[in-house]
Amino acid sequence: MPDLRNPGLLRQVLAQADIRLFLISSFVSNVGLWVQRVAVGWLVFDLTHSAGWVGTVAACELVPSLLVAPFGGVLSDRGDRFRLLVWGQVAAQAQAFALAAFAWFDSLGLVTLTVAAITLGLIDGINQPPRLMLASDVSPRPLLPTTVALNSFGFNAARFVGPIVAGLALTAGSPALAFAINGVSFLPFILLLLRLKRSPAIRRPTAGPGDGVVGGLRHAAHHPVLGLALMLLLSVSLGVRGMVELLPAIAGKWFGPAPSDLAALTVSVGIGAMLGGVWLLRLGSLPKVLSAVLIGPGGLAFGMLLFAGLGDIRWLAHLLLAGIGFLSLVCGSGTQSLIHLTANPAYRGRVLSLFGIIQRAGPAIGALMLGLLADAVGLSPAFVVGAVLAGLAWGWVWIRRRRLQKAIDDFAGSGDA
C-alpha cells in the first residue's frame, strides 16, 4: 500500500484527468444530495413535529436499498455498470425536478414526500454499488486508497456545503429552489459517466461468478476481515449514525424552530468528517487503516453517551457532533478501503453493495428505531440505547482484534493489497 503521507502521491492522483473529474463531479452531486436531504427532513418535521415521522421518511428512502442493492451489486459485477449508472442518475434527477415542481405549486405534503423517498431509495439501491466501484475504474491500483480517501473527503465537504445551501434556500422560504439545485447537480456526474463509457482507458465490466447475491454474502461472511468489519459498521450505523438522521428533531426539540439551527448542526457533523478524511489520508499502511476501523466505534459509543447527557448544550452539541462525524468517516472510508484492497475482484461489486446497504439503510433503520423510542421516552434515553448497541458490538469485535490484525498483515505481506 502506498505511503499516503507523501504529498507527491496526492499530486499524482490529481494529475489524472479521470480521477480529477470523478472527484469534482461527485462533490457537486453530493452537495445536491445534502441540499435535498436537509430540505426533506425539515419539511417533514415542519409538517408533523414528530421525530418518529422524520425517521420514518428517512427509512422510506433508504430501507429499499435492503431489497434492491444486492441485485445492483450483481449487475455491477456482471453487466454494463456505466449504462446502469447513467439511467439511474437521469431517473434521480427527474425525481428532484418533480419535487421542485410540487413545491413550486405548493402541493408538497407528507404523502408526496414519502412516495418520493421510496422512489429515490429504489433508484439509489441499484445505483450505489456501481457508483462505489467507480473509484476502481478511474484510479490505477497504487493510487486507489488515496482516491477513496479524497472522495470520502469530498462527500463530507459536501455535507458541509449542502446544508448551508439548503439553509439559505429554506430561510428564503423556497423549498422548490432546494430541490431544483439538487436536480441541476446531477449534470456534471452524468457527463462524466458518458465520458468514461467512451474512454478506451477505462477497464470494462467483466462477468463475475454466476452465484448471484448469495455468492457476495458468502464471500463477505467467509472473508478473514470483511465480515467482522461490516458487522462493526452496521452497529455504528444503527446506534450512532441513526441519531444523525434525527438532527431535524434534535434541532426542533432542543434548540429552536429555525432552519439555520438544523443547518448548523449538520455542518458540525460535516466539519468533523472532513477532518477525519484529512487524517485518514495520513495513514501509511493497511494495518493502520484496520486499527482505525477497530478503534473508531469505541469512541463513537462514548461520544453518543456524552451527547445523550449533554447534547442540549448548544456549543457542546456542535463539538460532540464534529467528533461523531470524524469517527464515522474514519470507520466508513476505512472499511471501504479494506473492501477495495482485500475483496476478490470478481465479488467486489457485491461486497460493496453490502457496504452501501449498511451505509445508507443502516442509519435509516436506526433513525426509525431511535425516533420511535424518542417519541415514547425522550431523546436522551433513546440515544443511550444507541450507544449501548454500538458499544456491545465494538467490544465483541475488539476481543478478536489480534486475529484481524494478523489477517491484514498477511494481505499486506503477500502484496495483494
Side-chain angles (χ1 to χ4, degrees), residues 43-44 47 57 99 102-103 106-116:
L43 287 171
V44 170
L47 289 168
V57 174
L99 283 175
F102 275 106
D106 200 23
S107 302
L108 201 57
L110 188 60
V111 173
T112 305
L113 289 169
T114 303
V115 172

Side-chain angles (χ1 to χ4, degrees), residues 214-228 230 351 354:
V214 174
L217 291 169
R218 186 183 298 116
H219 178 64
H222 294 169
H223 194 280
V225 174
L226 296 182
L228 287 176
L230 289 171
V351 179
L354 297 176

Side-chain angles (χ1 to χ4, degrees), residues 72-88 126-127 129-138 193 197 202-208 345 348-349:
V74 173
L75 293 173
S76 300
D77 283 332
R78 299 165 63 184
D80 188 341
R81 55 181 172 270
F82 293 108
R83 178 180 297 176
L84 184 69
L85 264 175
V86 169
W87 285 109
I126 292 293
N127 259 225
R131 182 161 182 161
L132 289 171
M133 293 182 74
L134 273 182
S136 295
D137 289 318
V138 301
L193 292 172
K197 187 171 175 60
I202 298 299
R203 293 184 293 276
R204 295 302 167 198
T206 56
R348 185 178 292 139

Side-chain angles (χ1 to χ4, degrees), residues 363-385:
I365 296 173
L368 176 61
M369 174 186 71
L370 296 178
L372 293 174
L373 190 59
D375 282 346
V377 300
L379 288 172
S380 292
F383 295 160
V384 169
V385 172

